[in-house]
Amino acid sequence: MGTAVGGGRAVPRYVQIADDIVQQIRAGVLKPGEMVPSESELVERYGVAGGTIRKAMVEVRASGLVETRHGKGSIVKDRPPVRHRSSDRFRRSHRQGGKAAYLAESAQSGATAKVSVLYIGPMEVPEDVAGRLGVEHSTQVLARRRLYFRNGTPVETASSYLPWDVVKDIPELFAENPGGGGIYARLEDHGHEFAEFVETLQARPATKAEASELALSPGAPVVHLVREALTTEGRVVEVCDTLMAADQFVFSYRIPATD
């Protein structure tokens, strides 16, 4: 049979098989580094046609829990998620303690973090960033592009854009290592006190280039996050455009229930 009925709704057999394989991975039956059984093995195990197994494996790969290696099949990833605590990762105490946000959240998860700087320098502000910064499209800004690693695996790219009039007198922001607490600490050192950070998130499949940069399977899910850093004067002094491997992050927000 191609479908099963549950709760009054037919569930395709390939979806059931995909869910079973995903649960085996999450339960540790299929361990990180192990190969997912071959198509012929899965055909025999589940008693279905090869086409059904191929559709099931599309769903399994979409979960982000496996990666496909050409000519070898699918292997379970060793990529436990980092808990991304929006409510406290930008606390001033972290910056004063010398930890930038990514390093602080990685330390909380017990992971080894590394940051590779890809580019630092002037550039014309991207059109979609100009409005957020409140500047004209042709304006020059400082761009800082980084690639973040967790336990040796690339998990996130981030591009920060900062107004030139804000950064031109802060030489540390032009250095690969801006010092303890990161760029936010240096901005506050120069009088730009932060009031809040505003983030918007969108989940989508990775492009081919993005999948290559983050060592993901083609079409794997990513989270596109854009953050605005607002000062107590109401000015946005940084826009950070970030792309994250979805299987690496769990987002946890604290939302006040009062005005």
Side-chain angles (χ1 to χ4, degrees), residues 25 31-36 57 60-79 153-154 211-212 214-218 220 247:
I25 294 172
K31 296 178 174 57
E34 289 186 353
M35 301 299 298
V36 175
M57 287 307 300
V60 173
R61 286 191 290 273
S63 72
L65 297 174
V66 303
E67 60 180 332
T68 301
R69 296 182 178 177
H70 183 67
K72 293 185 178 180
S74 296
I75 188 171
V76 179
K77 291 182 181 179
D78 183 14
R79 297 166 68 90
T153 299
S212 176
L214 292 175
L216 299 171
S217 299
D247 67 325

Side-chain angles (χ1 to χ4, degrees), residues 49-188:
T52 300
I53 295 300
R54 287 190 288 275
K55 291 175 69 175
M57 287 307 300
V58 169
E59 300 294 318
V60 173
R61 286 191 290 273
S63 72
L65 297 174
V66 303
E67 60 180 332
T68 301
R69 296 182 178 177
H70 183 67
K72 293 185 178 180
S74 296
I75 188 171
V76 179
K77 291 182 181 179
D78 183 14
R79 297 166 68 90
V82 172
R83 183 167 293 276
H84 205 99
R85 294 186 176 89
S86 177
S87 60
D88 68 8
R89 63 196 171 99
F90 292 120
R91 283 165 43 191
R92 186 168 285 108
S93 60
H94 287 321
R95 296 193 292 278
Q96 292 173 342
K99 289 183 178 180
Y102 179 76
L103 298 180
E105 70 188 9
S106 294
Q108 288 174 346
S109 72
T112 300
K114 176 187 173 183
V115 182
S116 177
V117 176
L118 304 178
Y119 174 79
I120 300 175
M123 69 174 292
E124 185 175 294
V125 63
E127 185 174 0
D128 57 337
V129 173
R132 293 175 181 270
L133 284 177
V135 299
E136 296 295 327
H137 173 49
S138 59
T139 302
Q140 176 180 276
V141 295
L142 173 65
R144 295 179 58 93
R145 178 167 169 76
R146 293 91 67 200
L147 178 61
Y148 294 89
F149 295 81
R150 180 176 185 265
N151 294 339
T153 299
V155 296
E156 174 182 343
T157 62
S159 297
S160 289
Y161 303 97
L162 302 99
W164 196 259
D165 67 297
V166 169
V167 304
K168 61 184 177 64
D169 296 322
I170 310 178
E172 296 94 335
L173 296 183
F174 293 81
E176 285 196 14
N177 182 357
I183 64 174
Y184 291 160
R186 300 293 78 75
L187 286 165
E188 288 200 314

